[in-house]
Amino acid sequence: MTVRVLVADDQEIVRTGLTIILNAQPGIEVVGGAGDGRHAVELARRLRPDVCLFDIRMPGMDGIEATRALAGPLVADPLAVVVITTFDLDDYVYAALRAGARGFLLKEAGPDLLSQAVHAAANGDALIAPSVTTRLLKAFADAGPASPSKQPIEALTDREEQVLLAVARGRTNKEIADELYITLSTVKSHVTSLMTKLGVRNRVEIAMWAYETNRTRGRG
């Protein structure tokens, strides 16, 4: 199955470069491009791509606002958005993920990581640049006391706690399976259970919940 991608970046040379790179990857096809957030949102709603690849800094409507319009908490049928930027700033990462992005990459990531992020987002998974994940983990683990309002609907099992921490560290399902010596299908079941218990929609939101409640504090 081919993953259909919409690319939005205000610099034509970057947009063209990303399009060439993605079209050269097996199983990926770029179906549209936009130079600003507003046009990107219009195109995305019309084309319904499998994945939207958005730059953060765009005129009119930026990538974060566009992400929120297509994948935010109030969107009934959200699209998968991966945010890509030259700016490695935690505020951008946090804002993008809170807006509903399923991935965050730097433009220097390279074709392989870019392809991985697109395929991950299309599969309902998530990929955040490893350096960003590690720094975010530390920043949110040091952010203060856990919020009492962010408790799970139902208590997490010990295994779910382990999977939660692995997701928060940016591990893929396969890496979690190998790490915990369980099957891939078992990992997927735990991730689904976590989404239900935490009242979130995807694994990025699972990770954000772990950061915000300091679940990661003192656990390596």
Side-chain angles (χ1 to χ4, degrees), residues 83-106:
V83 172
I84 184 166
T85 182
T86 51
F87 300 95
D88 184 11
L89 299 176
D90 291 340
D91 286 349
Y92 280 155
V93 182
Y94 188 68
L97 297 181
R98 291 314 271 155
R102 282 197 198 164
F104 187 98
L105 288 177
L106 303 179

Side-chain angles (χ1 to χ4, degrees), residues 42-188:
E42 290 171 3
L43 264 183
R45 286 175 174 160
R46 181 154 49 88
L47 298 174
R48 300 296 297 178
D50 300 306
V51 177
C52 300
L53 185 66
F54 288 171
D55 183 28
I56 282 188
R57 300 181 78 169
M58 294 188 286
M61 177 188 285
D62 65 20
I64 291 171
E65 197 178 341
T67 298
R68 190 175 295 111
L70 296 170
L74 302 179
V75 180
D77 189 14
L79 290 171
V81 178
V82 173
V83 172
I84 184 166
T85 182
T86 51
F87 300 95
D88 184 11
L89 299 176
D90 291 340
D91 286 349
Y92 280 155
V93 182
Y94 188 68
L97 297 181
R98 291 314 271 155
R102 282 197 198 164
F104 187 98
L105 288 177
L106 303 179
K107 288 181 181 174
E108 64 193 36
D112 289 345
L113 203 56
L114 186 59
S115 175
Q116 284 178 44
V118 166
H119 281 293
N123 292 329
D125 212 324
L127 191 150
I128 305 169
S131 61
V132 175
T133 303
T134 305
R135 221 177 40 251
L136 267 185
L137 183 64
K138 184 178 186 311
F140 286 103
D142 294 340
S147 166
S149 63
K150 293 184 176 292
Q151 295 307 308
I153 295 167
E154 184 184 331
L156 304 185
T157 65
D158 289 343
R159 183 63 89 189
E160 284 168 351
E161 291 277 5
Q162 292 173 331
V163 173
L164 172 76
L165 293 177
V167 169
R169 293 188 179 106
R171 304 284 195 269
T172 64
N173 282 352
K174 185 180 184 310
E175 287 170 340
I176 296 171
D178 292 344
E179 200 174 288
L180 299 180
Y181 303 102
I182 55 180
T183 65
L184 199 56
S185 61
T186 301
V187 175
K188 290 177 180 176

